[in-house]
């Protein structure tokens, strides 16, 4: 063991203290000396005795000091040795005697760790598999029809990406509900909301109790099955009926459309949402506009790149026809007239769908964010009473024909108007094809509140169209529906349960470590480097909370008009749609961005980097956890998110990205080759960037944790694990299927522990593969 400067100083001190003293030893006098002494005068003799006594005392003092010096040096050496051994034990002993965390959250975390594979006991077999498309299929890039209906025709996997939405209602409507393909973070948050809604806590006000009542009525499938189709048929009659049931008041087309938009959030012929104009956003303008987009069509369509038009999928027309027949039969339509109504519905749907186009085509044609006044829109698409419909959808805002709107496919809107006029003038108007079209769209809006026969029909169609997604649990649908209506209530509940101080602390530490990481990068373009650094240093990271916390009385007043019925989910769901309409109206007038309760990743908004409260929920984060666990899990996820948000194209600028990724990959290939793994391939630029991002995120999180320990040296532990081992073991719980960039990650992220510990003396033990020899020495990444 090499000597430290302190130990060397101690040795020098000991050596100098143990040198022989000069010849001042006390000797017994000889006889002759005694005689001479007797002959001396008494005064001189007395002086001699005093001198000798002083000399003896002085020698005793020196001996005592020498013994004290030896004792002090031995004590100091002992303390140094103890501290050194304690540090070595902290690094090498996997079962260090740390202060245990005994909170309920830690007990649960300990149970989870005990049931998980230990990366330090199975260092190679545990990590040796990849995250790829052969094991996990990609998420759908398209939108689901707003109401979260499983099996809807437009919920199929597609490569299409739609214009970015900034508004709350449409974002919430478009969230996916796939059980196995939702992020673990999202599943964790939904489970947390479920626990809140199912808690027996009665301290909340009436708004909280209404939210819980709505959730319980959603779970009450027995009452929903008993009600059957009657609530929907009663609603159709209140809207004037339709020819399918044999009772139709021949209500005006635009009147029916306005009612569907205002009271039931149903948009059969076009979509409405609220958002900013990106051309103005770059100049700091926060104004929001009504955005008009092509609709989510019920009929399955495909894009024909040759004709550059959409068309119905021939192979899916038969199952789609069967599903429409089933719906009308469930709604009590006479068997003799079902085919007539289904035929006209499919014909009308096919004609309207022709002008619908995917995003890439509309981008190439400059069809997004096309600005015009409502008056101008009316002249181009006269079939729709635009001012009347928009006033209904955004009641009570005082819209005028001079207000501007943004179009995302004007050719479709013009085409749709022509088709509607054409069908209005047809002789078979008595069959009400336009109303059938609108009411079948309304049916899909209300399907979550209807009995299982409808959802089963939709699911069968989805399977026939090739969708292999599993069935989403009922509770998850109910949590999402409750959040859509009572988001303010649940945001308040999460805010009360969030450890704001601890969350803010980890946010600041992670962001500080991220900025330190930036200084290590070597950039190919210094101008880009300076712009990035300027941007990063201008950002203010913070927890994303509401600007003003609502008091209980204010929440109760906000939901005072909502009447929740315990055994009638259909009527509760109708009120939910009304809440959506009010939220949409509020979005158009407000300037601030309200927190998105279901968000689990940071949002860059102006000069703020916002971290939603949904990130800081158990079991991913808990204020009673050891900080090693919090930084190993949520700290890593935050660092990875920051790198993705702020450095999306770092692979083209940072030379170190390539070097680090190839180094990590070399470690992986060595283990894979020794394990008999095949299929070795080189990394693409996207894969290199993702490997670098996740490896850097692990380093950032650990650096942030060390910074936390400097400010607060004490930390607890779980299962007797040393702090660094707990940090890395917690990180290993994040599997690759919880990562939105998993398709770009060529290896299991937890393998990064093996690379990290290969040459680092921070790890509690060296991760070596049993019975597998290294072919060559690997460098530190």
């Amino acid at each position: 063991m090499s000597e430290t400067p302190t130990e060397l100083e101690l040795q020098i001190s000991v050596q100098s203290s143990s040198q022989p003293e000069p010849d001042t030893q006390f000797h017994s006098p000889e006889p002759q000396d005694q005689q001479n002494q007797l002959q001396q005068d008494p005064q001189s003799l007395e002086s001699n005795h005093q001198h000798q006594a002083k000399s003896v005392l002085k020698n005793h003092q020196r001996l005592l000091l020498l013994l004290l010096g030896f004792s002090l040096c031995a004590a100091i050496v002992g303390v140094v040795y103890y501290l050194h051994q304690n540090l070595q034990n902290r690094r090498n002993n996997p079962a260090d005697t740390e202060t245990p965390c005994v909170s309920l959250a830690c007990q649960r975390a300990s149970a989870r760790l005990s049931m998980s594979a230990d990366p330090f006991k199975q260092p190679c077999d545990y990590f040796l598999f990849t995250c790829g498309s052969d094991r996990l299929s990609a998420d759908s890039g398209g939108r689901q029809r707003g109401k979260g209906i499983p099996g809807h025709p437009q919920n199929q996997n597609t490569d299409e990406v739609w214009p970015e939405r900034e508004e709350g209602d449409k974002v919430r409507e478009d969230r996916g509900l796939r059980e196995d393909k939702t992020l673990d973070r999202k599943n964790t948050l939904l489970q947390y909301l479920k626990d809140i809604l199912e808690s027996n806590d009665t301290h909340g006000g009436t708004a909280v109790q209404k939210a819980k009542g709505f959730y319980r009525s959603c779970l009450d499938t027995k009452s929903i099955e008993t009600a059957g189709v009657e609530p929907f048929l009663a609603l159709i009659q209140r809207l004037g009926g339709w020819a399918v049931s044999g009772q139709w008041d021949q209500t005006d087309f635009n009147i029916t459309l306005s009612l569907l938009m205002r009271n039931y959030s149903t948009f059969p012929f076009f979509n409405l949402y609220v958002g900013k104009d990106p051309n103005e956003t770059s100049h700091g303008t926060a104004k929001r506009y009504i955005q008009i987009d092509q609709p989510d069509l019920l009929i399955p369509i495909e894009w024909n790149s040759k004709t550059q038009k959409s068309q119905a999928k021939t192979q899916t027309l038969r199952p789609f026809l069967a599903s429409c027949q089933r719906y009308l039969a469930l709604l009590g339509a006479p068997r003799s007239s079902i085919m007539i109504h289904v035929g006209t519905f499919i014909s009308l749907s096919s004609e309207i769908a022709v002008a619908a186009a995917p995003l890439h085509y509309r981008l190439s044609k400059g069809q997004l964010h096309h600005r015009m006044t409502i008056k101008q829109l009316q002249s181009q698409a006269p079939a729709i009473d635009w001012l009347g419909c928009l006033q209904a959808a955004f009641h009570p805002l005082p819209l005028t024909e001079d207000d501007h709107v943004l179009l995302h496919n004007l050719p479709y809107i013009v085409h749709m108007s022509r088709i509607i006029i054409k069908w209005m003038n047809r002789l078979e108007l008595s069959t009400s094809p336009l109303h059938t079209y609108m009411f079948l769209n309304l049916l899909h809006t209300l399907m979550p509140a209807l009995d299982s026969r409808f959802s089963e029909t939709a699911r069968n169609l989805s399977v026939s169209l090739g969708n292999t997604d599993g069935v989403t649990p009922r509770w998850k649908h109910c949590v999402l529906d409750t959040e859509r209506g009572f988001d303010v209530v649940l945001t308040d509940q999460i805010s009360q349960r969030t450890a704001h101080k601890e969350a803010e602390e980890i946010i600041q530490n992670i962001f500080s470590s991220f900025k330190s990481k930036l200084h290590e990068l070597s950039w190919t373009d210094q101008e880009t480097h300076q712009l990035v650094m300027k941007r990063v240093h201008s950002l203010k990271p913070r927890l994303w909370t509401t600007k003003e916390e609502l008091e209980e009385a204010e929440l109760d007043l906000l939901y005072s008009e909502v009447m929740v019925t315990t055994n009638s989910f259909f009527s509760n769901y109708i009120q939910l749609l009304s809440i959506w309409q009010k939220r949409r109206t509020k979005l158009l007038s407000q300037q601030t961005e309200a927190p998105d309760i279901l968000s689990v990743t940071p949002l860059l908004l102006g000069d703020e980097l916002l971290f939603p409260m949904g990130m800081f929920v158990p079991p991913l984060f808990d204020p009673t956890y050891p900080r090693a666990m919090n930084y190993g899990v949520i700290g890593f996820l935050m660092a990875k998110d920051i790198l993705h948000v702020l450095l999306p194209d770092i692979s083209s600028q940072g030379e170190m990205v390539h070097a680090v990724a190839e180094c990590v990959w070399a470690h992986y290939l060595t283990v894979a080759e020794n394990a008999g793994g095949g299929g070795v391939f080189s990394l693409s630029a996207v894969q290199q960037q993702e490997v670098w991002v996740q490896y850097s995120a692990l380093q950032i999180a650990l650096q942030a944790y060390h910074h936390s320990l400097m400010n607060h040296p004490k930390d607890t532990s779980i299962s007797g694990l040393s702090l660094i081992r707990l940090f890395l073991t917690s990180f290993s719980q994040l599997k690759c299927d919880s990562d939105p960039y998993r398709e770009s990650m060529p290896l299991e992220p937890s393998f990064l522990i093996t690379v990290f510990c290969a040459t680092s003396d921070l790890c509690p033990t060296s991760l070596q593969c049993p019975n597998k020899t290294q072919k060559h020495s690997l460098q530190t990444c």
Side-chain angles (χ1 to χ4, degrees), residues 401-700:
E401 60 181 9
D402 294 324
D403 287 321
H404 285 86
V405 295
L406 299 181
L407 279 295
H408 294 287
N409 190 348
L410 180 58
Y412 165 81
I413 298 297
V414 173
H415 171 81
M416 174 268 299
S417 176
R418 292 172 182 167
I419 297 300
I420 290 176
I421 293 174
K422 169 187 170 183
W423 280 78
M424 282 181 173
N425 295 329
R426 293 183 65 163
L427 295 177
E428 57 267 33
L429 183 62
S430 58
T431 59
S432 180
L434 292 173
H435 280 74
T436 298
Y437 185 91
M438 289 189 286
F439 286 147
L440 283 179
N441 275 268
L442 177 63
L443 174 67
H444 279 81
T445 298
L446 296 173
M447 198 174 290
L450 295 175
D451 67 79
S452 60
R453 296 173 298 172
F454 291 92
S455 58
E456 188 64 33
T457 302
R459 189 176 301 115
N460 291 339
L461 174 61
S462 179
V463 171
S464 67
L465 297 180
N467 188 1
T468 58
D469 291 347
V471 179
T472 302
R474 178 73 185 180
W475 72 262
K476 190 173 292 187
H477 281 288
C478 295
V479 168
L480 289 169
D481 284 340
T482 306
E483 185 276 335
R484 291 177 183 123
F486 297 88
D487 63 319
V488 179
V489 175
L490 293 182
T491 298
D492 180 73
Q493 290 292 300
I494 283 190
S495 181
Q496 292 181 22
R497 290 166 169 78
T498 299
H500 291 245
K501 180 182 177 181
E502 290 80 359
E504 287 283 6
E505 180 181 342
I506 194 171
I507 287 172
Q508 299 302 325
N509 285 341
I510 291 293
F511 192 72
S512 177
S513 296
F514 161 73
K515 290 192 291 186
S516 299
K517 185 68 177 179
L518 280 184
H519 291 287
E520 301 175 8
L521 294 177
S522 57
W523 294 68
T524 56
D525 184 354
Q526 290 304 312
E527 183 177 353
T528 303
H529 176 215
Q530 293 176 2
L531 290 174
V532 170
M533 295 300 293
K534 182 179 179 181
R535 174 62 170 153
V536 168
H537 284 285
S538 69
L539 289 177
K540 302 173 185 176
R542 70 172 178 86
L543 185 65
W544 193 11
T545 58
T546 53
K547 296 294 183 181
E548 297 180 2
E549 298 290 338
L550 292 178
E551 298 292 337
E552 183 177 296
E554 293 177 289
L555 276 177
D556 294 345
L557 179 61
L558 186 62
Y559 288 89
S560 59
E561 296 181 4
V562 177
M563 304 299 294
V564 175
T565 306
T566 56
N567 58 353
S568 179
F569 182 56
F570 187 88
S571 64
N572 294 340
Y573 200 83
I574 294 296
Q575 294 186 77
L576 171 66
L577 301 180
S578 179
I579 295 174
W580 287 357
Q581 185 274 333
K582 293 178 181 178
R583 176 186 294 154
R584 186 169 54 245
T585 300
K586 184 178 179 180
L587 284 168
L588 189 59
S589 58
Q590 70 181 13
Q591 299 298 318
T592 58
E593 198 79 25
D596 182 0
I597 188 176
L598 291 186
S599 177
V600 290
T601 54
L603 171 71
L604 191 59
L605 190 63
D607 62 349
E608 291 187 316
L609 184 60
L610 305 175
F611 293 83
M613 292 183 290
M615 296 181 68
F616 303 95
V617 299
L620 297 178
F621 176 86
D622 192 280
T624 68
Y625 280 165
R627 278 171 290 142
M629 174 169 283
N630 280 332
Y631 278 87
V633 179
I634 200 65
F636 166 79
L637 293 173
M638 291 169 60
K640 182 161 60 68
D641 290 338
I642 293 173
L643 290 167
H644 279 301
V645 169
L646 299 181
L647 303 177
D649 302 314
I650 186 61
S651 62
S652 62
Q653 294 294 334
E655 296 177 353
M656 190 179 295
V657 173
H658 171 79
V660 170
E662 290 301 325
C663 176
V664 172
W665 189 237
H667 278 262
Y668 181 80
L669 292 182
T670 299
V671 176
E673 290 170 1
N674 292 333
V680 175
F681 58 91
S682 59
L683 298 182
S684 65
V686 174
Q687 290 173 323
Q688 288 180 4
Q689 175 160 318
E690 188 57 31
V691 171
W692 177 84
V693 162
Q694 299 205 24
Y695 189 66
S696 299
L698 181 61
Q699 293 175 318
I700 290 171

Side-chain angles (χ1 to χ4, degrees), residues 15 175 185 197 227 281 292 462 480 485 583 589 656 660 705 730 756:
Q15 289 172 1
R175 293 191 179 100
R185 283 189 268 183
L197 291 169
T281 303
I292 303 175
S462 179
L480 289 169
R583 176 186 294 154
S589 58
M656 190 179 295
V660 170
Y705 176 55
S730 300
F756 186 79

